[in-house]
Every structure is written in structure tokens, then in C-alpha cells.
Amino acid sequence: MMSRQAFLCSLGSLYLSLLFVFLLMDVYARPANNSALKEKPADSKDENEILPPDHLNGIKMEMDGHLNKEFHQEVFLGKEMEEFEEDSEPRKNRKKLMVIFSKVDINNDKKIGAKEMQRWIMEKTDEHFQEAVEENKMHFRAVDPDGDGHVSWDEYKIKFLASKGFNEKEIAEKIRNNEELKIDEETQEVLDNLKDRWYQADNPPPDLLLNEEEFLSFLHPEHSRGMLKFMVKEIIRDLDQDGDKKLTLSEFISLPVGTVENQQAQDIDDDWVKDRRKEFEEVIDANHDGIVTMEELEEYMDPMNEYNALNEAKQMIAVADENQNHHLELEEILKYSEYFTGSKLMDYARNVHEEF
């Protein structure tokens, strides 16, 4: 009969043998790398450091022409937005919301008026700006390898392609020697669009080199009046169907080209169209002539426009103002918490009294 020690030794040998077999299977199962320039993909964090974000915090309209669905939460919560998660405990979210209410209510009259909400919106928008500025400092260092305070398009292009899984040294060498880069069509299209933005961010006199401030405009065009104009031109180009460089209501409520497979399937009565129609008629079309010009769209897109902030404050109050006194009480904000925070608070009426 086998001894306990012999059995354990035998079991250990079997385990090592199986481990060796699995390792061999793993090696041979891995797909071959068919691209001479590709290496293992960079993690998403590195990629996000140099790619302009698709979503701009505190902006009412995205760069693709879509309305920012999270805008209300962004300008009401600021940095606290991430703390309000759907699965968070309702009691904790209620307490956080009550603290925010007290901060907005600067005259301590237990209600929030339009001017108080306007001031708060401007503060939260500026908070998003400051966060972008701090992040930009880190991102700029990542793409400025020689630390000279300027980044050339080629330097950025190398870092961008490296973030997409290309071999950075080989890409750099090919660009230095003016050799052709074998890049897939999709990546090349992204590069072409980024190059347009790069040129727009290059303030006069143009030298094709971006300093830290210009790089901020490249990543966050909402920081620059010139880049805001560029964003407006891009949006109108995508939505303007008759080429007059203006937008009618029908053009504005149509989806940007390529965003849906079946345009006819878009229901004209859905919430998406209703939101856009209301935004067009009540906010963007300032003179209510049925036409939105580039100038009107630019004013609408400007996140630091005080008139827009006041208008937004009035809209936000109107959503939850059940007693029609043009102010928001705590109970109203708690009841309509999903609009302000994205988080629905259950049993708000009963629980609000427990908190006092």
C-alpha cells in the first residue's frame, strides 16, 4: 500500500505535469500577431490620456450634435456626481442631497430661487473646467517626451498610435524617415479628424506646435472661444441638410448622419425628439424666428454664458416646482431626485422628516 508521503509526491508530480500541458496549450492557442507595427494593446487609461473625450462635462450639446443627457446632473452635482449611483443606499443619497440643498440656499430661507440656482450652476461648471485643467497638465506631460513645453503633431501622432497598439519605436522611426504607415481605415479617419482639431487649437501665429494651453483647447474645446466656433461649424455641417449654414427645426430634430441604421424607424413622438424640439424652440432659437444661426448655437454652447445659466436654472426649477411658487423646496428636490442626481429616492416624503 502506498505511503501518505509517496502519495503526496505522486500527486504533486501529476499537478506539475498538468500545469506544463496547460501552459503549452495556452502558448499554441494564442493567435499570431499579423501586423509588423502592432504590439499588445495599451490599457484604456493610457489611451484616454491623449484622446479628446467624446463627452464634455458641463456642456449642453455633445460634439456629435446630440444633447447631453447628463447635463442637469453635471451642473447640479459637480464632483459629487459619481457618488450618486443607482445602487447607492437611498438614505445616504438623501443626506448628500440635503447638504447640497443647504449650499445652494445661500440666504437660508429654505427654498432655492433662480438666481441661487444660477450661481450654483456657474460654480459647478467652473469646477468641471478646473478639473479639466488639472488633468490636462498630466496628459500634456505624457505627450511631451522631450519636456520642451511644446508638442508637435508627429509627437502626438506617435503617442496616439501607440495607445492603439502600434509599436511606438517603429512608428517613430517610420515617421522620422517619412515612410508609409500601414494604418487601418478606421484609425486613419480618426487621425484625420484629430489633425483638423489640432490645427484649430494652434493659436496664431500658427507653428503646428501646441503649448499646454493650446493642448487644453485641443482636448477640451469648451475652454476656447475659437474652438467653440469650430465645434459649432462641425455640428452644423453634420445637421445642415440644405447647406445654408443654418438649422431649421426639422434639421435639428433629425439624427446626425450614420447614428441610426434605419432613419425611417425614428418615431417622431419619442422623448428624444421632444427634448430636441423643446431645446430648439425655447432656448437655442433666441429670437424665435424658426432658424438657428451659428451665432445663436455658439451662445448656446458656451458653458460660461450667464444668461444661459439663468435660463437653465429656471428650467430646472420648473421641472420640480409643484406648488408653482417659482422656487424649489427640499421636498420637491427629493421627490424629483432622479432629474437632479440620476438617483431615485424611495419613500422621500416619509424619510425626509426622519432626517430632521
Side-chain angles (χ1 to χ4, degrees):
M1 187 174 181
M2 184 181 295
S3 68
R4 177 181 174 85
Q5 184 176 2
F7 174 75
L8 291 174
C9 288
S10 174
L11 189 63
S13 298
L14 177 62
Y15 172 78
L16 290 173
S17 299
L18 287 172
L19 179 62
F20 180 68
V21 170
F22 284 132
L23 287 173
L24 284 176
M25 289 173 65
D26 180 57
V27 169
Y28 287 110
R30 293 172 188 167
N33 190 345
N34 296 320
S35 173
L37 294 176
K38 286 263 188 169
E39 56 186 12
K40 74 174 183 177
D43 62 46
S44 58
K45 183 178 179 182
D46 290 339
E47 181 176 327
N48 289 336
E49 285 183 353
I50 62 172
L51 270 176
D54 294 326
H55 176 76
L56 302 174
N57 290 329
I59 302 294
K60 295 194 72 171
M61 184 179 286
E62 305 284 9
M63 294 189 66
D64 59 4
H66 284 115
L67 295 178
N68 176 5
K69 290 292 185 182
E70 297 179 344
F71 176 76
H72 301 304
Q73 288 109 44
E74 290 170 355
V75 295
F76 185 73
L77 297 177
K79 292 181 179 179
E80 286 85 7
M81 186 173 176
E82 295 179 1
E83 298 179 12
F84 282 82
E85 300 174 357
E86 291 183 9
D87 56 351
S88 295
E89 186 180 339
R91 181 177 292 273
K92 290 182 179 179
N93 281 350
R94 278 195 303 277
K95 288 182 177 178
K96 294 173 188 173
L97 198 47
M98 291 167 70
V99 170
I100 292 175
F101 181 90
S102 65
K103 290 179 179 178
V104 184
D105 179 25
I106 54 175
N107 64 4
N108 297 316
D109 64 353
K110 305 300 179 184
K111 57 180 184 266
I112 295 173
K115 284 291 185 180
E116 289 174 316
M117 185 67 85
Q118 178 197 31
R119 177 195 64 84
W120 183 257
I121 288 173
M122 296 294 288
E123 279 188 16
K124 296 296 108 177
T125 303
D126 185 63
E127 195 173 279
H128 287 302
F129 275 23
Q130 296 308 317
E131 187 176 8
V133 170
E134 290 303 313
E135 288 179 353
N136 183 69
K137 292 178 181 178
M138 176 183 66
H139 300 165
F140 185 77
R141 288 194 295 269
V143 295
D144 182 22
D146 53 16
D148 65 353
H150 293 85
V151 178
S152 69
W153 168 249
D154 282 346
E155 285 178 326
Y156 178 81
K157 184 177 179 179
I158 292 168
K159 290 292 184 182
F160 168 78
L161 291 174
S163 76
K164 291 295 184 183
F166 290 85
N167 184 294
E168 184 170 345
K169 290 183 179 179
E170 292 184 31
I171 285 288
E173 185 176 351
K174 285 182 174 290
I175 288 178
R176 193 163 45 245
N177 296 329
N178 292 319
E179 296 180 27
E180 181 184 357
L181 300 177
K182 294 182 179 179
I183 302 174
D184 60 274
E185 187 175 339
E186 183 180 349
T187 303
Q188 185 60 53
E189 185 178 352
V190 174
L191 265 178
D192 292 341
N193 291 334
L194 289 176
K195 193 172 186 178
D196 287 341
R197 285 182 62 169
W198 187 272
Y199 286 177
Q200 291 295 325
D202 185 17
N203 292 328
D207 56 7
L208 300 185
L209 299 173
L210 299 192
N211 57 30
E212 188 173 312
E213 183 178 349
E214 292 169 331
F215 193 71
L216 175 64
S217 297
F218 172 70
L219 288 185
H220 293 275
E222 72 274 20
H223 281 259
S224 162
R225 195 73 188 187
M227 287 297 286
L228 272 176
K229 291 180 182 291
F230 176 68
M231 285 176 63
V232 166
K233 288 179 182 178
E234 293 289 290
I235 290 172
I236 287 187
R237 184 194 65 183
D238 290 340
L239 299 179
D240 178 23
Q241 296 171 5
D242 59 12
D244 64 354
K245 297 183 180 179
K246 300 175 183 178
L247 296 180
T248 61
L249 175 60
S250 61
E251 289 173 329
F252 187 73
I253 65 175
S254 66
L255 282 167
V257 176
T259 55
V260 290
E261 294 180 2
N262 186 358
Q263 193 74 22
Q264 285 72 29
Q266 180 69 36
D267 184 355
I268 62 172
D269 292 325
D270 67 9
D271 291 338
W272 188 90
V273 170
K274 288 178 182 177
D275 288 344
R276 292 181 73 85
R277 181 188 296 273
K278 183 177 181 180
E279 203 71 18
F280 182 97
E281 294 176 339
E282 298 181 11
V283 184
I284 311 177
D285 183 14
N287 60 2
H288 304 292
D289 64 351
I291 298 292
V292 165
T293 64
M294 283 191 175
E295 291 74 21
E296 286 176 320
L297 188 55
E298 186 181 330
E299 287 302 309
Y300 169 79
M301 293 284 288
D302 183 2
M304 296 308 290
N305 184 315
E306 293 187 6
Y307 174 78
N308 285 350
L310 180 59
N311 195 25
E312 189 62 36
K314 292 177 180 178
Q315 282 190 0
M316 293 174 75
I317 289 174
V319 166
D321 183 20
E322 290 196 335
N323 62 12
Q324 298 295 301
N325 68 349
H326 306 293
H327 287 74
L328 288 181
E329 280 79 31
L330 178 59
E331 289 83 356
E332 291 172 326
I333 284 189
L334 290 172
K335 184 173 181 178
Y336 289 86
S337 63
E338 197 164 11
Y339 175 80
F340 293 100
T341 71
S343 174
K344 192 172 184 178
L345 307 183
M346 306 303 291
D347 299 327
Y348 80 95
R350 174 173 60 83
N351 287 296
V352 67
H353 296 293
E354 295 177 2
E355 304 291 351
F356 290 109

